[in-house]
Amino acid sequence: MTLRIGCIADDFTGGTDVAAAFRCAGLRTALVFGTPDTDTALPGDCDAAVVALKSRSTPAEEAVADSLAAQRWLWDKGAAQIYFKYCSTFDSTPEGNIGPVSDALLDTAGAPLTLHCPASPPNGRTVYQGHLFVHDQLLSDSPLRHHPLNPMTDSALVRLLSAQTRHRVALVDWATVRQGSAAVREALLAHQREGVRHVIADALTDDDLAVLGAALLELPVVAGAAGLAEGLGHAYPTSGPAPAQPLPREGGAAVLAGSCSARTLEQIAHFYAAGLPSLHLDVLAAAAGRDVIGEALAWYDAQDPEQPVLIYASASPEELAAVQAQLGVATAAAQVEELLGTLAAHLTERGVRRLLVAGGETSGAVTTALGVRAVLVGDEADPGVPWTYAETKHGDLALMLKSGNFGAPDLFTRALGRS
Ligand code: ADP
């Protein structure tokens, strides 16, 4: 058993993001979708395992229960340290879930204190004097103040977190972080002696996060965004960089797209412009009972097996609005997810071994339809978009799950070796 870090991510895309960060730090990393059962196995030998939950905006009791179940599973697999991954914008409601979940993880670990740092310098998220910045603006002055679910109107992390826990929250400031890991450890001990349970740390650069990571190896619970996860990952001695995983050469390649985001629509247009075969699914016809799956498979069977293909439900805003007006938003989404999930199963049965899926919800539908509970994380094709490797009943599968807005416009063609 080699597992060292067990990570709990509070949303699916965040799970991929933090898994890619551990992998960048040289750790062999697994990603597990949803709360694992006792019989869920790790997909291979790994140093880090990430359980991706949907606990960011659920009621606090539910988020706590799911996180504790994930912690138990990770401990059972041998994880010595738990990393709680949340958004680099500290995305949370006034009551949680960052405070309640980290308190619960600390309680079960019997740990006196944890350190939080949501900084993600490559994305412009930095923390100074405990205030979270988004590029050159305080969080509370940034567009995040208008977030549709959790508007962030305060940037002071000590104050934000104090509202979510009955325990004391304090700061390790940048001057201390600049003095190095020993100074950070000293500061943590001093806070612990004073009964502080949550320590917010300043960090402006990846170097600061590396200093923090090296100071935190002994803490049973650490919390933050993907940046601190990478800093922590670098502090773990590894036997060299995580081995590159070759993409399967045999078998077919396909893209299934259900995201209607602007970037995914660009990627679809790019694939089409490259002269590669693409098929648009008629969602209304499927809802009316036409055998859209059978038609799509007949189309697929007629294509050149050497070429990657694209099958998409993704629609322009106008088309999406028309479908939603006719079917209702939830029924339309369920119809699309059913179509794409079923197609994924048929395509792998027909020999597809590289499958790129566009859309967060769509990715969930596809992994469920394929019975994929856990994957090994490989190299990133674009920031936050790694190839992953899964076993399915039809054989090994390279799977890329991308959130709608991620990836460059040429991602589909490039990732499938066509640009
Ligand atoms: P993103 O990552 O861009 O948010 P998701 O897959 O999470 O993408 O969400 C896109 C949603 O849009 C899904 O629920 C999908 O079922 C729905 N959808 C996609 N195409 C259509 C369509 N043609 N008509 C109606 N709904 C659609």
Side-chain angles (χ1 to χ4, degrees), residues 88-402:
S88 60
T89 60
F90 212 75
D91 189 351
S92 50
T93 67
E95 300 79 36
N97 292 331
I98 294 176
V101 169
S102 38
D103 274 332
L105 296 173
L106 283 168
D107 284 342
T108 46
L113 117 170
T114 186
L115 181 137
H116 294 256
C117 184
S120 182
N123 300 319
R125 272 52 151 178
T126 54
V127 183
Y128 185 64
Q129 297 298 351
H131 291 264
L132 181 54
F133 286 81
V134 177
H135 298 286
D136 58 347
Q137 291 178 311
L138 282 166
L139 175 69
S140 50
D141 292 333
S142 80
L144 274 305
R145 65 176 292 114
H146 302 301
H147 187 281
L149 287 181
N150 304 323
M152 301 306 290
T153 53
D154 191 359
S155 313
L157 293 174
V158 171
R159 194 161 54 213
L160 273 172
L161 191 53
S162 294
Q164 299 183 21
T165 173
R166 57 190 174 80
H167 297 282
R168 285 187 60 192
V169 184
L171 176 71
V172 168
D173 66 8
W174 190 66
T176 309
V177 177
R178 291 311 290 162
Q179 287 170 38
S181 299
V184 172
R185 272 193 295 269
E186 281 289 307
L188 288 178
L189 280 173
H191 281 311
Q192 187 178 324
R193 281 193 293 271
E194 285 167 16
V196 169
R197 198 148 197 244
H198 298 273
V199 177
I200 303 286
D202 281 350
L204 302 182
T205 64
D206 285 338
D207 284 348
D208 294 338
L209 292 167
V211 165
L212 290 175
L216 303 177
L217 283 174
E218 305 298 322
L219 283 196
V221 180
V222 178
L228 181 60
E230 189 170 338
L232 189 61
H234 280 300
Y236 275 89
T238 56
S239 41
Q245 204 122 8
L247 282 176
R249 285 168 196 267
E250 308 291 312
V255 183
L256 289 175
S259 162
C260 301
S261 72
R263 180 45 60 88
T264 296
L265 296 178
E266 272 182 87
Q267 289 160 336
I268 291 171
H270 190 278
F271 190 93
Y272 182 80
L276 293 167
S278 339
L279 177 74
H280 182 40
L281 296 174
D282 188 336
V283 181
L284 287 177
R290 212 171 85 195
D291 182 14
V292 169
I293 301 245
E295 290 168 18
L297 292 174
W299 174 86
Y300 175 78
D301 291 339
Q303 302 307 313
D304 174 358
E306 299 296 315
Q307 298 267 49
V309 303
L310 161 68
I311 302 179
Y312 62 103
S314 314
S316 64
E318 300 74 39
E319 189 188 340
L320 179 64
V323 174
Q324 288 177 333
Q326 197 156 330
L327 300 180
V329 174
T331 310
Q335 178 71 67
V336 169
E337 285 159 30
E338 159 84 23
L339 282 175
L340 292 173
T342 309
L343 278 171
H346 282 294
L347 292 180
T348 52
E349 197 180 339
R350 279 168 154 75
V352 164
R353 292 293 168 265
R354 282 166 295 157
L355 181 62
L356 204 160
V357 185
E361 294 299 326
T362 308
S363 294
V366 167
T367 49
T368 305
L370 295 179
V372 170
R373 295 295 309 273
V375 294
L376 278 177
V377 179
D379 297 331
E380 282 179 311
D382 273 330
V385 193
W387 276 109
T388 69
Y389 299 88
E391 279 176 25
T392 72
K393 63 179 174 190
H394 301 297
D396 291 346
L397 179 69
L399 192 59
M400 182 179 286
L401 305 171
K402 93 163 192 90

